[in-house]
Amino acid sequence: QVQLVEAGGGLVQAGGSLRLSCVASGRPFATHAMGWFRQAPGKERELVATISSGGSTYYGDAVKGRVTISRDYGKNTLYLQMNNLKPEDTAVYYCASSQYMTWGNRTSDYDYWGQGTQVSVSS
């Protein structure tokens, strides 16, 4: 059974930083794409960042230059370092893993999802 467990969300002031983590279990960690997505109230889920099985990264336009995605293969953990946070970054952030793909930037490329962690940024 695949499990993705996120942690690290919280309330932060604009300009602050947070690091999200996602511990994966139940399947090989290194062989498939993983990503972070977010969903704000009333909006569709959108891409934040993805990382391929080989370590290549891709960032959404709204966060480019402010976030870094990384994966620790030894700990089966995916990270998202977020800096210079803005109120518009407020959303539930989800960790995702693809069942088959080594690289993907669409929500439909991902088959397994965590429960989400809330990030709230105050102005």
Side-chain angles (χ1 to χ4, degrees), residues 7-114:
L11 175 63
V12 64
Q13 288 188 332
S17 299
L18 283 174
R19 188 173 83 152
L20 307 183
S21 63
C22 170
V23 178
S25 61
R27 71 194 304 262
F29 177 75
T31 56
H32 298 88
M34 294 195 72
W36 288 98
F37 294 79
R38 68 185 183 185
Q39 189 166 18
K43 295 188 177 181
E44 292 188 354
R45 192 168 296 190
E46 66 173 358
L47 177 146
V48 178
T50 60
I51 186 166
S52 73
S53 58
S56 298
T57 58
Y58 181 88
Y59 297 96
D61 289 340
V63 300
K64 199 172 295 182
R66 299 188 294 119
V67 308
T68 302
I69 188 171
S70 61
R71 59 199 299 176
D72 184 326
Y73 295 93
K75 295 182 178 180
N76 280 10
T77 302
L78 181 73
Y79 298 101
L80 184 71
Q81 176 67 44
M82 303 189 291
N83 300 322
N84 191 22
L85 284 162
K86 304 176 181 181
E88 51 263 43
D89 294 319
T90 295
V92 177
Y93 284 69
Y94 297 91
C95 171
S97 175
S98 179
Q99 184 175 8
Y100 299 113
M101 299 181 67
T102 60
W103 173 247
N105 295 331
R106 303 169 299 178
T107 55
S108 59
D109 293 331
Y110 292 83
D111 307 281
Y112 304 107
W113 296 83

